[in-house]
Amino acid sequence: MFKRGKKIHFLMAAPLIGLLVLGACVRPTTTTTPEPLPTPTPSLGPAPALTATPTPTATPTPTPTPISAAQPTPEATPIVEPTPTSAPAADAEAFTLYENDIFGMSISYPSDWLAQEGLNPAIDPLLIAEGEAGLPRLLLYLFYLAEPSTPEEYAPFYQEDRQLDLPNMEVVSEVNTLTADGTPAYDMVIDFTDLSGEVPRRARVTLVTRGTQVFEIFAFTLLIDFDRQAEVIDEILQSFSLREPTPFGIPREEALTLFDAAPSTLDPHKVATTTDSQYVLQIFSGLVTLDQELNVIPDLAASWDILDGGKTYVFHLRDDAQFHDGKPVTASDFKYSFERATDPALGSKTASIYLDDIIGFQEKIRGEAQEFVGVETIDDLTLRIRIDASKPYFLSKLTYPTAFVVDQQNVEAGDSNWFLDPNGTGPFKLKGWKSDRILALERNVSYYRGQAQVPYIVFRLFGGIGVAMYETDEIDVAYVGLGDLERALDPAEPLNQELHISTELTLFYLGFDSTRPPFDDPKVRKAFALALDRDRLVQEILEGAVEKAKGFLPPGIPGYNPDLAGIPFNPEQARALLAETTYGSGDGLPPLEYTTFRSIFDAVLIAILEMWQENLGV
């Protein structure tokens, strides 16, 4: 990753990552960033139902991967156009100021227009505003480029894209200009028609760039009404202004700014991904945690006793531990939290992985018992947990968010989205969250293990290429993808001086469904594994950015064995093994289906399929 040289530090709890696999193990921090999507298409038909004031997003939604451009869907049928007399020109003095602190911009529109924010900047305009009859209409988009550009440099690409998006498009005029605050811009007048090709329209478009960002201000109306609306449209476009983003009032210099995917939940008992856990680990905490060497150390528990031959743990809570609101953390809070996590109505996907050793788990998770009998309170600061057998790894499992404490009053006072205002115990509080845009954390000054040294952490959830955003100072840390790896490793490159290489506790793998043919036969599974040349995948396809995995554990995890041989590449043995099965040389195999949730490693998958065809004849 790239990391700036400023002396800025913050507390980050280390997650325990569950691993199960056979693929390539990541070595340096080299994550792949998706390519930017095409630039946005202005919506030409009726806008959504609008309200008089912008409406913020209320409920977070999952964002598997940040994307770089808005891509609205054009209407399938033409709309009925209003007559010019139904869209009177606005009073030039009656304007409303729209300000967006998240992206650091503002623009004005006539006060008698209806306006609202888009719900998701990846697919919606930041702002939609329109006259009472639907025209004129203002669409303000934000999207990201792969590298910085001036408005004039970007204009030809914009025009080329719009030839496909706007029917019968023709550029009437174009010129370099400035907005009212002196921001460089590129201004165009464009003629086009509705989707039927019968109703002429005219638009003024202003392009403004900042770093990797492009703001597209698109104002249009009927061609026959354009001259009458020109003064209003000009005032709208001229009013556009840029300033330093201050999300939730946070100054840029006081925040560590990162770029990542949005969490799907901040409920610790429902966390099932590393994306979610990186946020939850800052807001909540548990009895124990991991240090930088992955040793289990005290957290909310000051100490513990291991009794009964390793089957009973007695935890002694810190007397200074408290929730964010100052309320002390007690053993009863932990008992409630363990029982909530194992409540079948909650539907936790991880409780059965991390809490199943505790006595009474099966009865609790099946709904046969209200109380989790293996978790007992002795007094306010003493908690006893009994497990079904001596297991030296049990403490490590308690470092996962499923075992974290929550405030019962906080949880039960709200609805299922109580975590939008969480009363946690971690080093940071949730400052604010606008789904698919931004999430901000504020340090907990009463944190029992000492204050974090950075006041805020701001996660930008919408953007483009991480390295490009890093170079334009939009973010403070960027993970290096394969496209930038050669440049990052070049000592002659200035960025090389800011490169930090570390091992990720990550494994990539292909899983076989051993309950269905043909992979219910272990000989078939081993034949497919033997037919993969993973050294070639690592060196040629992934450019040496990962290490070959030899077992379930990656380097850095306690228990990793560097001397493990793993499964070798041996196509001859693979073919011989497959021949011993009922599928013979491979001709009898049924069609095979590969399922994935994203396509970052398409090149790897293609290479794997080619190897299986070449080495096994399947």
Side-chain angles (χ1 to χ4, degrees), residues 522-532 574-575 577-578 612 616:
K523 289 185 177 181
V524 173
R525 297 198 298 270
K526 188 172 183 179
F528 273 71
L530 287 164
L532 283 185
R575 287 190 289 270
L577 203 59
L578 188 62
W612 283 338
L616 291 179

Side-chain angles (χ1 to χ4, degrees), residues 409-428:
Q409 184 178 359
N410 177 219
V411 172
E412 296 181 354
D415 55 17
S416 60
N417 291 325
W418 63 270
F419 53 79
L420 295 178
D421 186 23
N423 187 29
T425 54
F428 287 89

Side-chain angles (χ1 to χ4, degrees), residues 592-610:
L592 304 179
E593 181 176 291
Y594 173 73
T595 304
T596 181
F597 73 102
R598 59 182 179 181
S599 57
I600 285 180
F601 294 106
D602 276 351
V604 175
L605 176 60
I606 291 171
I608 288 173
L609 297 179
E610 290 176 348

Side-chain angles (χ1 to χ4, degrees), residues 198-246:
E198 297 177 356
V199 182
R201 300 174 174 185
R202 176 163 288 182
R204 273 276 304 281
V205 182
T206 297
L207 304 175
V208 178
T209 63
R210 177 178 59 191
T212 63
Q213 297 176 327
V214 175
F215 293 90
E216 175 191 317
I217 310 110
F218 189 92
F220 70 98
T221 189
L222 298 176
L223 176 61
I224 60 174
D225 199 38
F226 185 83
D227 289 344
R228 193 166 63 90
Q229 301 286 356
E231 183 178 350
V232 172
I233 291 175
D234 181 70
E235 188 161 350
I236 292 172
L237 300 182
Q238 281 291 305
S239 71
F240 183 83
S241 177
L242 292 177
R243 62 178 183 275
E244 188 69 49
T246 54

Side-chain angles (χ1 to χ4, degrees), residues 284-405:
F284 298 91
S285 54
L287 294 165
V288 291
T289 188
L290 299 172
D291 65 13
Q292 294 299 314
E293 286 72 44
L294 302 184
N295 300 306
V296 177
I297 61 172
D299 198 353
L300 285 166
S303 62
W304 55 86
D305 304 314
I306 303 177
L307 309 173
D308 192 23
K311 293 193 293 183
T312 299
Y313 289 77
V314 178
F315 294 93
H316 307 282
L317 303 186
R318 303 174 62 115
D319 57 10
D320 60 348
Q322 60 184 27
F323 290 100
H324 289 158
D325 67 356
K327 183 169 55 179
V329 177
T330 68
S332 295
D333 293 316
F334 269 102
K335 182 171 176 60
Y336 165 77
S337 299
F338 277 95
E339 291 181 342
R340 176 182 184 270
T342 53
D343 186 339
L346 183 68
S348 172
K349 297 179 181 179
T350 52
S352 60
I353 300 173
Y354 295 99
L355 304 179
D356 62 327
D357 303 313
I358 302 174
I359 290 175
F361 171 81
Q362 293 299 333
E363 293 81 0
K364 188 69 173 62
I365 203 70
R366 290 197 298 258
E368 299 170 359
Q370 293 297 314
E371 183 182 5
F372 202 165
V373 296
V375 181
E376 305 166 276
T377 58
I378 298 175
D379 56 43
D380 281 351
L381 296 179
T382 311
L383 182 76
R384 179 166 56 209
I385 297 179
R386 295 179 294 124
I387 61 177
D388 54 15
S390 178
K391 298 175 181 179
Y393 53 79
F394 176 68
L395 279 177
S396 295
K397 295 174 76 171
L398 295 184
T399 65
Y400 195 79
T402 308
F404 284 5
V405 68

